[in-house]
Amino acid sequence: MRFSLGALAAVLPLAAALPQITRSGKYLYDPSGTRFYIKGVAYQPQGNLAVSTEANEANGGFPEPSDFVDPLSSSTNCTRDIPHLKDLGVNAVRVYSVNASLNHDDCMKALDDAGIYVLLDVSLPLNGSIDRSSPSWTTNLLNEYTRTINVFNKYPNILAYNIGNEVINTVNNSNAAPFVKAAARDTKAYLNSINSKALVGYAAVDTDLEFRNALADYLTCGNESVSVDLYGLNNYEWCGAATYSNSGWNVITEGFRNLTVAAYMSEFGCIKEGPRQWTEVPAMLSAPVADVFSGGIAFSYFPTSDNYGMVTFSGDGSTVNVNSDFTALGRQYSNTSGPNSPAQSAQSNSVLACPPTSPILAASTELPPTPNEEVCKCINDNALGCKAIPATANNPIKVGALINQACGLLSQSNSTVSCTTIAGDGQTGQYGPLAMCSPDIKLNYVMSAYYDANPVATSCDFGGNATLSTSPLSAGAAQEAAASCLAGKPPIFTPTASDPPTSNTASPSSPATSSGKPSSAARVGAVLPTSSVATLVLGALGFVAGAAAVLA
Ligand SMILES: *[C@@H]1O[C@H](CO)[C@@H](O)[C@H](O)[C@H]1NC(C)=O
Ligand SMILES: *[C@@H]1O[C@H](CO)[C@@H](O)[C@H](O)[C@H]1NC(C)=O
Ligand SMILES: *[C@@H]1O[C@H](CO)[C@@H](O)[C@H](O)[C@H]1NC(C)=O
Ligand SMILES: *[C@@H]1O[C@H](CO)[C@@H](O)[C@H](O)[C@H]1NC(C)=O
Ligand SMILES: *[C@@H]1O[C@H](CO)[C@@H](O)[C@H](O)[C@H]1NC(C)=O
Ligand SMILES: *[C@@H]1O[C@H](CO)[C@@H](O)[C@H](O)[C@H]1NC(C)=O
Ligand SMILES: *[C@@H]1O[C@H](CO)[C@@H](O)[C@H](O)[C@H]1NC(C)=O
Ligand SMILES: *[C@@H]1O[C@H](CO)[C@@H](O)[C@H](O)[C@H]1NC(C)=O
Ligand SMILES: *[C@@H]1O[C@H](CO)[C@@H](O)[C@H](O)[C@H]1NC(C)=O
């Protein structure tokens, strides 16, 4: 008789899964209380660079990748690479982009078997990240993050989820910081709700001293429910045979000393001075750097166009050739282990107080609300009469350009509403009621508001990109529907222009899906507007005519 593979797996003892690494105060520990240091390498093939937009350039933008290969989706490639990752002596890899639709079981299991944790960035290139030139934190991004988390939650070797990489890269776009912190807050709440103990991280670009420290303080300060708990710094200051005091690492270490959470070098490995000897590794894994940092991620396993790679592939891509940087890093990692101090029992989580306003960052301490998809969908379904047509391969709807066009028309119209309803300002901490909605719904809102101010068919055309519902809502009906949605009471009626509803007979106290389960937005701790908030917000939403009458 022959065993099936499944039956074999059931009788053979399973290899032990890697234990959860937790944070106590500023440090990471394994379950035995031994201090844990990240000895890692970046594991992401380089993507193609996107064409940078003018807005992004004006905001200190670096060229960003436009596409990616999911390195945890190919069992063949992981099998090819893992022996080399073991040779390097790493206990962690940082992966920047994965596709939640693909299967990651084989790679995650093989890494776990090899004693390798994964630090996973949950943002994606282009529209999958917070856009520094026009920052927002919206339902579609939160959904993307939770979708990836749902796929990876089952793997024991997930160490942390990074909610952003170098989003803020100059004081000029530090107004993106409240959105990044809101992403950390909502990701933490979501992880809590599914009993995940994975850490929530951010990877910052290295910048001048004051800005670097101010941003680290901003993202890690305050209540634990909102602070990033693993703060990464992408740092390339230690070049060649530098030392602690002439590399700048002394200044960095002192600048981060007051952080109350764990820090690590989320990228390191300067290539300016010849083949790398990685003398920063023993420095990183000993005091005084180890008093503040818990290791780092060497950049990069895969080749990059600017020569940060440590391997190349030959033949049909199945042969790995390592270079001298690889060999030197392997020697350093294998020869170094960080001090097992201070003891976990001596640690307690404390809170770094947030200054009321930062003298350096243009970032409000007022964070945007948790994106609430239920409310956005409800408004879109019940209150908006003019909507963008679905994108097709032949006509990819350019949402951003259409929003700009519609906002321009709206501002020149007689409408009493404006695009502030869909805008969020991270500098002043003012967030419009629909700033949390997806770009698609924001566009529908602006086009509908324009139509309401000029209710003739040609107002809902937008070069053939929009259509009017067969029974467009009257301004009053639209306003009432929006009010119901914002009050957490999705209307059960289907309003029409000829028969506007006068009352809402449904009164669930909280939004519920038809199955009765809380929506995903509710699960991540969305705070639904109370009716007084809804009233306040209505002014901003206010679908023109009759606003006062309906509210009275
Ligand atoms: C993710 O994988 C699916 C299935 O192969 C594919 O259809 C989709 O385009 C991929 N998404 C991205 C962003 O690569
Ligand atoms: C980004 O855009 C693609 C198609 O243009 C869409 O499928 C995807 O859902 C968008 N991602 C997010 C997070 O909105
Ligand atoms: C910030 O913006 C100002 C005004 O637009 C510009 O002069 C300055 O160069 C920008 N600074 C950086 C670091 O991008
Ligand atoms: C921290 O946030 C949690 C959740 O929002 C809240 O219950 C708690 O009271 C807050 N703690 C402090 C000290 O503000
Ligand atoms: C750290 O905290 C001490 C005591 O409050 C303060 O004097 C010092 O300036 C802080 N250092 C930094 C870099 O914030
Ligand atoms: C696997 O490796 C081959 C050869 O290097 C590469 O072309 C391919 O993109 C990789 N696929 C994935 C999913 O990593
Ligand atoms: C290993 O580490 C020790 C102590 O840090 C050092 O003296 C020695 O030179 C290192 N060996 C190699 C091969 O790097
Ligand atoms: C605004 O209202 C005035 C007076 O009712 C009207 O003459 C004008 O055409 C309107 N303008 C627009 C852009 O709708
Ligand atoms: C859709 O809008 C874009 C941008 O405004 C425009 O270039 C395009 O022509 C419109 N599409 C159609 C089918 O008219």
Side-chain angles (χ1 to χ4, degrees):
M1 154 178 185
R2 297 177 56 182
F3 283 103
S4 73
L5 274 179
L8 261 182
V11 281
L12 293 174
L14 294 166
L18 282 174
Q20 184 71 48
I21 300 301
T22 52
R23 176 179 75 83
S24 293
K26 301 161 62 121
Y27 306 113
L28 305 176
Y29 295 93
D30 74 14
S32 75
T34 303
R35 223 185 126 185
F36 181 84
Y37 294 88
I38 296 163
K39 291 159 86 172
V41 69
Y43 187 70
Q44 181 80 44
Q46 188 172 41
N48 292 306
L49 293 186
V51 179
S52 184
T53 62
E54 206 177 310
N56 192 41
E57 286 301 324
N59 274 284
F62 300 141
E64 304 287 353
S66 61
D67 58 11
F68 66 93
V69 168
D70 176 345
L72 301 179
S73 67
S74 165
S75 178
T76 310
N77 289 13
C78 290
T79 304
R80 172 197 68 192
D81 294 334
I82 286 174
H84 300 283
L85 296 175
K86 284 168 104 169
D87 282 350
L88 263 187
V90 299
N91 62 9
V93 290
R94 179 171 172 205
V95 175
Y96 292 71
S97 306
V98 292
N99 181 338
S101 301
L102 303 178
N103 188 306
H104 305 93
D105 290 351
D106 289 344
C107 285
M108 289 302 288
K109 172 79 166 63
L111 287 166
D112 189 72
D113 288 346
I116 298 172
Y117 288 91
V118 175
L119 293 107
L120 182 62
D121 287 48
V122 288
S123 56
L124 288 174
L126 303 178
N127 67 335
S129 301
I130 295 172
D131 176 359
R132 68 171 70 86
S133 68
S134 174
S136 62
W137 173 236
T138 48
T139 53
N140 53 311
L141 280 178
L142 176 57
N143 286 343
E144 175 192 279
Y145 286 19
T146 56
R147 188 164 169 249
T148 299
I149 289 168
N150 288 342
V151 167
F152 281 84
N153 183 45
K154 58 179 172 288
Y155 305 122
N157 51 331
I158 283 285
L159 177 61
Y161 295 107
N162 285 327
I163 48 89
N165 180 58
E166 303 190 355
V167 177
I168 304 133
N169 60 16
T170 145
V171 171
N172 285 7
N173 56 41
S174 60
N175 62 342
F179 299 96
V180 170
K181 196 162 181 178
R185 173 199 63 200
D186 296 341
T187 302
K188 282 184 115 169
Y190 185 70
L191 291 173
N192 249 330
S193 77
I194 59 170
N195 293 318
S196 164
K197 300 274 183 279
L199 303 171
V200 169
Y202 175 74
V205 71
D206 191 24
T207 52
D208 68 80
L209 162 74
E210 281 196 318
F211 178 64
R212 184 174 62 213
N213 293 344
L215 184 61
D217 288 351
Y218 180 91
L219 290 175
T220 63
C221 73
N223 194 325
E224 269 190 77
S225 63
V226 297
S227 55
V228 164
D229 39 26
L230 182 61
Y231 195 77
L233 181 68
N234 294 342
N235 182 279
Y236 294 89
E237 287 189 41
W238 187 302
C239 302
T243 63
Y244 176 67
S245 43
N246 73 14
S247 64
W249 279 32
N250 54 346
V251 179
I252 293 168
T253 301
E254 286 317 307
F256 280 19
R257 193 174 281 282
N258 290 353
L259 297 186
T260 54
V261 303
Y264 75 119
M265 296 293 182
S266 38
E267 287 173 12
F268 70 91
C270 171
I271 52 168
K272 278 188 202 148
E273 294 175 21
R276 291 177 282 188
Q277 293 307 313
W278 304 98
T279 54
E280 66 267 53
V281 169
M284 187 170 73
L285 297 174
S286 59
V289 182
D291 295 341
V292 174
F293 286 89
S294 295
I297 300 284
F299 196 82
S300 142
Y301 177 82
F302 288 101
T304 74
S305 54
D306 41 9
N307 295 319
Y308 283 93
M310 289 181 250
V311 306
T312 55
F313 303 103
S314 59
D316 54 1
S318 62
T319 305
V320 180
N321 317 293
V322 307
N323 66 18
S324 68
D325 285 7
F326 179 101
T327 315
L329 180 65
R331 257 201 312 270
Q332 295 285 15
Y333 271 154
S334 314
N335 189 37
T336 323
S337 56
N340 187 19
S341 64
Q344 186 173 26
S345 54
Q347 300 307 309
S348 61
N349 288 353
S350 62
V351 167
L352 181 70
C354 294
T357 50
S358 167
I360 294 161
L361 305 180
S364 171
T365 52
E366 194 66 44
L367 305 185
T370 300
N372 186 324
E373 184 161 42
E374 206 78 11
V375 167
C376 294
K377 252 187 113 286
C378 176
I379 290 174
N380 190 51
D381 291 350
N382 297 292
L384 305 182
C386 177
K387 290 183 180 152
I389 58 167
T392 62
N394 287 337
N395 186 19
I397 302 292
K398 297 230 162 56
V399 176
L402 280 168
I403 289 179
N404 288 343
Q405 187 193 349
C407 282
L409 289 169
L410 185 64
S411 69
Q412 288 156 26
S413 77
N414 287 334
S415 178
T416 59
V417 304
S418 74
C419 278
T420 55
T421 307
I422 60 162
D425 184 335
Q427 179 163 8
T428 61
Q430 306 273 311
Y431 307 100
L434 301 192
M436 65 176 177
C437 298
S438 67
D440 292 357
I441 292 180
K442 288 179 178 175
L443 172 59
N444 291 347
Y445 168 81
V446 185
M447 295 193 307
S448 297
Y450 176 66
Y451 175 80
D452 278 339
N454 307 273
V456 292
T458 48
S459 296
C460 179
D461 180 57
F462 294 93
N465 287 306
T467 54
L468 200 58
S469 3
T470 43
S471 315
L473 278 69
S474 69
Q479 186 195 348
E480 191 168 323
S484 292
C485 295
L486 284 161
K489 291 193 262 184
I492 53 164
F493 50 78
T494 309
T496 63
S498 56
D499 182 23
T502 49
S503 69
N504 179 4
T505 50
S507 57
S509 56
S510 66
T513 61
S514 51
S515 70
K517 285 191 191 139
S519 70
S520 63
R523 260 190 286 115
V524 303
V527 180
L528 288 167
T530 61
S531 46
S532 64
V533 173
T535 306
L536 188 78
V537 135
L538 256 186
L541 254 185
F543 273 83
V544 219
V550 173
L551 280 177

